[in-house]
């Protein structure tokens, strides 16, 4: 069965999400549509890239991932489809793919599917859906676009390293209000070198120990750990860390390692 995942900033209040799914099912009734999320903050491609990067490896090879972030028609934006690690991705070439992949995709095409004028302001249900269904049915990339060898580059805000200090920032807040930073486990371990540390945030808040799981501290206590994303995460056991600790997207966190 063809699998098509959806990652968009359409939300759940309006009819746009349903129209997108209906346009897929009207052409391919047997499609298995999986919602990754429709709650990406509007036009926030770095947020979407973080979500999808942590999701797509769990899907079977051959899955098609449709990305609807900042995809409204523009004379300066290309629509592309590509193959990466035996998965297919369809979206606007607005920089998201440079944030999503660690290596160059195996194949990239600039879509040449003709735009139906009645869908001019909603290419998701026209160009993207046609491309996704073509690929989900086993079609070739070269049949829906012209080969290209590059994607738009976009740089992430990376942690700053100052000798024994890592300065990072909040990049994601999940449904449980756990706060995820851009400090990876690999970077943390490299700078730590088995030393003690203090994690500082919101001026006076600190954490001095890594936990293995959320229940390692009493209910209501704060903790930090490396979760499923392998990024440093600030949480409260059975509590809402973002609200209770006053942490928001782009807020700064600091890790200091002690001699």
């Amino acid at each position: 069965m063809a699998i098509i995942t959806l990652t968009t900033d359409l939300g759940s209040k309006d009819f746009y999400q349903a129209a997108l799914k209906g346009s897929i099912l009207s052409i391919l009734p047997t499609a298995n549509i999986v919602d990754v999320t429709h709650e990406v903050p509007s036009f926030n491609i770095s947020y979407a890239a973080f979500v999808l990067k942590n999701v797509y490896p769990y899907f079977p090879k051959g899955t098609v991932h449709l990305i609807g972030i900042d995809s409204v028609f523009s004379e300066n934006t290309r629509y592309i489809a590509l193959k990466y690690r035996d998965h297919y991705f369809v979206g606007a070439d607005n920089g998201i793919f440079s944030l999503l992949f660690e290596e160059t995709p195996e194949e990239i095409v600039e879509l040449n599917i003709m735009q139906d004028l009645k869908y001019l302001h909603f290419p998701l249900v026209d160009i993207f859906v046609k491309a996704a269904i073509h690929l989900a049915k086993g079609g070739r990339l070269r049949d829906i676009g012209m080969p290209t060898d590059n994607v738009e580059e976009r740089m992430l805000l990376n942690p700053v390293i100052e000798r024994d200090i890592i300065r990072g920032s909040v990049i994601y807040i999940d449904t449980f209000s756990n706060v995820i930073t851009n400090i990876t486990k690999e970077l943390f371990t490299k700078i730590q070198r088995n030393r003690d540390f203090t994690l500082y945030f919101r001026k006076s808040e600190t954490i001095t120990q890594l936990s293995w799981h959320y229940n390692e501290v009493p209910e209501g206590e704060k903790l930090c750990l490396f979760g499923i994303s392998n990024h440093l995460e600030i949480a409260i056991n059975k509590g809402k860390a973002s609200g209770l600790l006053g942490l928001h997207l782009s807020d700064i966190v600091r890790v200091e390692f002690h001699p």
Side-chain angles (χ1 to χ4, degrees), residues 115-226:
Q115 172 84 60
D116 188 327
L117 291 180
K118 69 178 180 179
Y119 297 122
L120 181 62
H121 301 293
F122 203 2
L124 275 177
V125 302
D126 188 25
I127 296 175
F128 288 23
V129 164
K130 290 174 183 175
I133 290 174
H134 171 81
L135 296 170
K137 293 167 68 175
R140 301 180 304 177
L141 281 167
R142 70 188 74 170
D143 292 334
I144 55 174
M146 295 294 295
T148 182
D149 59 3
N150 63 82
V151 296
E152 181 73 21
E153 293 290 333
R154 183 73 67 91
M155 297 296 293
L156 281 173
L157 181 62
N158 292 317
V160 175
I161 303 169
E162 299 176 1
R163 203 169 177 182
D164 296 324
I165 299 174
I166 302 175
R167 299 182 190 275
S169 60
V170 177
I171 59 171
Y172 188 80
I173 297 172
D174 69 16
T175 302
F176 300 97
S177 288
N178 298 321
V179 177
I180 300 173
T181 75
N182 61 350
I183 301 173
T184 64
K185 185 176 183 179
E186 180 183 16
L187 175 62
F188 186 96
T189 303
K190 178 182 177 181
I191 305 302
Q192 181 187 25
R193 301 192 300 275
N194 295 317
R195 294 179 293 171
D196 293 335
F197 73 93
T198 302
L199 170 61
Y200 296 92
F201 54 96
R202 299 301 295 173
K203 295 184 179 179
S204 60
E205 294 284 353
T206 62
I207 300 175
T208 59
Q209 286 187 323
L210 276 173
S211 296
W212 287 98
H213 51 79
Y214 301 102
N215 293 325
E216 195 171 317
V217 301
E219 287 190 21
E221 289 293 320
K222 61 181 181 290
L223 67 138
C224 67
L225 77 170
F226 288 100

Side-chain angles (χ1 to χ4, degrees), residues 55-72:
V55 166
Y56 87 83
Y58 291 94
F59 282 86
K61 292 181 178 180
T63 297
V64 181
H65 306 279
L66 191 156
I67 307 171
I69 310 294
D70 193 19
S71 59
V72 175

